[in-house]
């Protein structure tokens, strides 16, 4: 079964492993018959500072952000690839989420879930978070409590309805060997073919 897939390269640099991974995924997904849209963070022109607007007087969204929201609403599956920097997401990527994940656009404060949270407006979509880092999996789990995985999966994606979100953690991203990169690319191609 084919899907509408929105792929986000969340690395702010113009050249990155995240970009290469998302393009491999996108190419394989397209060849498999999926409908694909892709956004590269460095190509998006917007002010990443939410500023003092607040939810009552938000900044008007730039055209790039309006298109990004259109792509989110169009999608059935959302793929985010990003590096871990200082235990979190790159600042511009976090700023993107600050700006676009707004009440009335991605969640509703008028309706509540049975737990009392705002009603998600992107329900019915699945996700995948592809994280590159140098932190071994055991450290991520034991020392950091998988904090970044939980942030993206639960506090960002699930909050607006993108669930379940599967995690792909690629370790040793600063200086990967060519055979490691090749293995990662083949993995992206398998995932893209499946739309997973």
């Amino acid at each position: 079964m084919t899907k509408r897939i929105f792929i986000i390269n969340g690395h702010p640099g113009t050249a990155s492993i995240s970009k290469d991974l998302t393009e491999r995924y996108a190419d394989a997904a397209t060849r498999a018959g999926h409908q694909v849209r892709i956004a590269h963070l460095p190509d998006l022109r917007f002010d990443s500072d939410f500023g003092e607007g607040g939810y009552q007087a938000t900044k008007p969204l730039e055209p790039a952000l309006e298109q990004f929201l259109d792509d989110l609403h169009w999608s059935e599956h959302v793929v985010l690839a990003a590096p871990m920097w200082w235990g979190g997401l790159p600042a511009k990527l976090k700023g993107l989420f600050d700006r676009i994940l707004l009440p009335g656009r991605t969640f509703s404060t008028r309706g509540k879930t049975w737990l009392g949270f705002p009603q998600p407006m992107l329900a019915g979509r699945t996700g995948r978070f592809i994280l590159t880092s140098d932190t071994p999996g055991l450290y991520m789990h034991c020392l950091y409590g998988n904090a970044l995985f939980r942030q993206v999966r639960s506090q960002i994606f699930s909050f607006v309805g993108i669930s379940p979100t599967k995690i792909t953690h690629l370790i040793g991203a600063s200086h990967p060997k060519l055979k490691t990169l090749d293995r990662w690319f083949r993995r992206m191609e398998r995932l893209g073919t499946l739309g997973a």
Side-chain angles (χ1 to χ4, degrees), residues 108-139:
S108 173
T109 55
R110 296 182 184 278
K112 300 287 184 180
T113 66
W114 66 275
L115 289 172
F117 291 109
Q119 193 71 39
M121 296 176 68
L122 297 177
R125 289 156 184 81
T126 55
R128 179 167 296 273
F129 177 36
I130 302 163
L131 178 71
T132 58
S133 79
D134 289 324
T135 304
L138 187 63
Y139 278 43

Side-chain angles (χ1 to χ4, degrees), residues 143-166:
L143 292 183
Y144 306 132
N146 290 329
L148 187 51
F149 298 156
R150 288 187 290 109
Q151 179 190 25
V152 171
R153 179 188 277 150
S154 302
Q155 296 173 286
I156 299 175
F157 276 20
S158 182
F159 189 87
V160 296
I162 302 169
S163 179
T165 295
K166 296 183 178 178

Side-chain angles (χ1 to χ4, degrees), residues 29-90:
T30 301
R31 286 194 306 272
H34 300 289
Q35 297 177 61
V36 174
R37 295 182 184 179
I38 189 167
H40 294 288
L41 187 62
D43 295 339
L44 303 180
R45 300 290 172 246
F46 67 97
D47 181 358
S48 60
D49 184 8
F50 188 77
E52 299 179 22
Y55 283 160
Q56 301 304 317
T58 58
K59 288 181 181 179
L61 295 182
E62 294 87 340
L65 298 187
E66 289 289 358
Q67 180 61 56
F68 193 97
L69 275 171
D70 285 347
D71 292 339
L72 268 182
H73 283 278
W74 166 86
S75 71
E76 295 173 313
H77 184 61
V78 179
V79 177
L80 168 65
M84 181 171 76
W85 286 355
W86 300 108
L89 298 173

